[in-house]
Amino acid sequence: MIFRSSLMPPSPRPLATLAIALACLLAGCGEGQKQAAAPPPKVTVANPIKRTIVDQDEYVGRFVPVDVVEVRARVSGYLDKINFTDGQIVKQGDLLFTIDKRPFQNTLDQARANLETAKSNVAFTQSDLARGQQLVRERTISEQIYEQRAQAFRNAQASVAANEAMVRQAELDLEYTEPRAPITGRIGDRRVTQGNLVTGGAGGNTTLLATIVSIDPIRFEFTFDEGALLRYQRLASGSNEVGGLGGTAVRLKLLDETDFSHAARMDFVDNVIDRATGTIRGRAQLSNANGLFTPGMFARVQVPASAPYQALMIPDAAIGSEQARKFVYVIDQDNVARLRYVTLGQLVDDLRVIKDGLSAGDRVVVNGLMRVRQGQKVTPDVQPASPQASVPAARAPDKTD
């Protein structure tokens, strides 16, 4: 007999394959239900902190000395002795160099001898004039001879005055053979070694011996733009400060420091804005008793840019970036994360000032930012918005992120 294939009973092998496929499909659906039932992610939220602050502008500048003096020779001669160590602190009046004194001592001795001769001549002409007065009354000598004696006496007096001036100049030249420190400060290295001929005088070709810069106090110079100048002047309007900025307290930070720990006070603002750069020069002065600041050294300065005001602040680690815009996640009443764009201010102790975009009652995600998505339901854990609470999230994200 011949049977058609359609009338034959199905083989058990296809039935087994179909059962396995159904079992896998049911297992996949179970896993999907388990994933859909996963609990909302846990995040740490906090309200913004209210704090009274003052906005600060930061600039880079250099330290400059209050006084700078170039020690130059005022008389010519051979350098006989150097009385300092390169780079040491010298006080005003300290002896720095000694130039060979012998030629100047000889000139002084000669000037004093000429002065004695002139004084002797004055004494003689004065006595001669006194005798002439008696003789002219007795008509023993003529009036012309008497006038000649009076003229000789006046010439002798002028000679004494001239020789006295020559003695003072010789004494001054002798004093100039010992150049002394005109200010207190740090002296640089010697520019001329012992035994060399130095050229003195008041011209431009005099020999430079050394340079001294004052150390304490010291000044800090920086520049800021026209907009900042207007802001500072309006902030200081109504005060008695010179130019609206004199006496403003500022703080400085060196390149290897993290805090603005050095207090200074502005003492000068230039009277002209640079037309090439659109900036104006400002200057602050501060103490440098320990010699930490060196002229020419770079530093950063903070200048108050606003009156004190109440600011909202959140940990800087709670702020995300979307290209040029900054955002935070705010948890609403239904524990749903909402994206909120914010305007940032300055950073104060790891807390960022929020100029716009937040209110005091908002719950901001400060930890677990990478686990949150827009519109996602979360499990919030309320904690104070301290800078320390945000550090672990910023440095060591959770493994589930």
Side-chain angles (χ1 to χ4, degrees), residues 3 40 48 65 74 78-79 95 106 128 144 184 189 213 231 246-247 262 267 282 294 319 321 340 353 361 378:
F3 297 97
R74 302 184 70 172
Y78 284 93
L79 191 61
L95 180 62
N106 294 337
D128 195 27
Q144 182 180 7
T184 298
D189 59 334
V213 295
R231 185 166 61 252
H262 306 287
D267 65 343
T294 303
I319 300 171
S321 298
R340 188 82 60 84
V353 175
V378 297

Side-chain angles (χ1 to χ4, degrees), residues 142-401:
S142 63
E143 292 286 343
Q144 182 180 7
I145 295 177
Y146 175 75
E147 290 296 333
Q148 289 175 351
R149 293 184 178 183
Q151 181 183 11
F153 175 66
R154 290 192 296 269
N155 291 342
Q157 286 180 319
S159 178
V160 169
N163 280 277
E164 286 177 344
M166 294 179 65
V167 169
R168 290 194 298 270
Q169 183 61 47
E171 290 174 345
L172 194 59
D173 289 343
L174 183 62
E175 183 181 347
Y176 287 159
T177 60
E178 293 183 341
R180 297 179 180 272
I183 62 171
T184 298
R186 187 181 300 278
I187 192 169
D189 59 334
R190 64 196 74 183
R191 301 300 178 87
V192 180
T193 56
Q194 184 176 345
N196 283 280
L197 177 66
V198 297
T199 302
N205 60 343
T206 56
T207 302
L208 176 63
L209 302 178
T211 302
I212 305 175
V213 295
S214 61
I215 297 299
D216 184 29
I218 196 168
R219 288 171 176 164
F220 181 80
E221 289 188 350
F222 59 99
T223 58
F224 47 91
D225 57 35
E226 182 179 351
L229 175 63
L230 291 174
R231 185 166 61 252
Y232 301 150
Q233 288 180 333
R234 290 194 173 115
L235 181 64
S237 61
S239 65
N240 295 325
E241 298 174 354
V242 179
L245 284 174
T248 300
V250 298
R251 304 195 69 83
L252 285 81
K253 177 183 72 172
L254 300 180
L255 296 183
D256 62 343
E257 296 176 341
T258 57
D259 298 325
F260 290 84
S261 57
H262 306 287
R265 189 166 295 275
M266 292 189 66
D267 65 343
F268 171 77
V269 176
D270 208 348
N271 57 352
V272 177
I273 294 177
D274 191 335
R275 299 176 65 179
T277 62
T279 59
I280 191 169
R281 182 169 56 97
R283 188 181 71 195
Q285 184 167 304
L286 66 159
S287 174
N288 188 29
N290 57 2
L292 176 63
F293 312 119
T294 303
M297 181 183 293
F298 280 103
R300 299 186 69 87
V301 61
Q302 278 188 342
V303 182
S306 72
Y309 67 95
Q310 283 282 341
L312 296 179
M313 309 174 72
I314 63 174
D316 196 46
I319 300 171
S321 298
E322 185 183 279
Q323 295 182 353
R325 296 188 295 180
K326 302 295 182 180
F327 67 88
V328 297
Y329 280 111
V330 177
I331 307 303
D332 61 13
Q333 296 179 352
D334 299 327
N335 293 337
V336 176
R338 303 297 181 186
L339 188 69
R340 188 82 60 84
Y341 292 104
V342 293
T343 303
L344 304 184
Q346 63 179 332
L347 185 65
V348 181
D349 299 331
D350 290 334
L351 292 175
R352 178 70 65 174
V353 175
I354 304 299
K355 294 285 189 179
D356 186 33
L358 284 182
S359 60
D362 288 334
R363 297 186 299 170
V364 181
V365 177
V366 296
N367 196 348
L369 188 66
M370 300 300 295
R371 295 191 292 268
V372 182
R373 298 292 180 269
Q374 167 68 10
Q376 182 182 13
K377 194 174 184 62
V378 297
T379 303
D381 179 19
V382 180
Q383 291 185 5
S386 61
Q388 291 79 6
S390 64
V391 172
R395 296 182 180 177
D398 192 83
K399 295 182 180 180
T400 59
D401 287 354

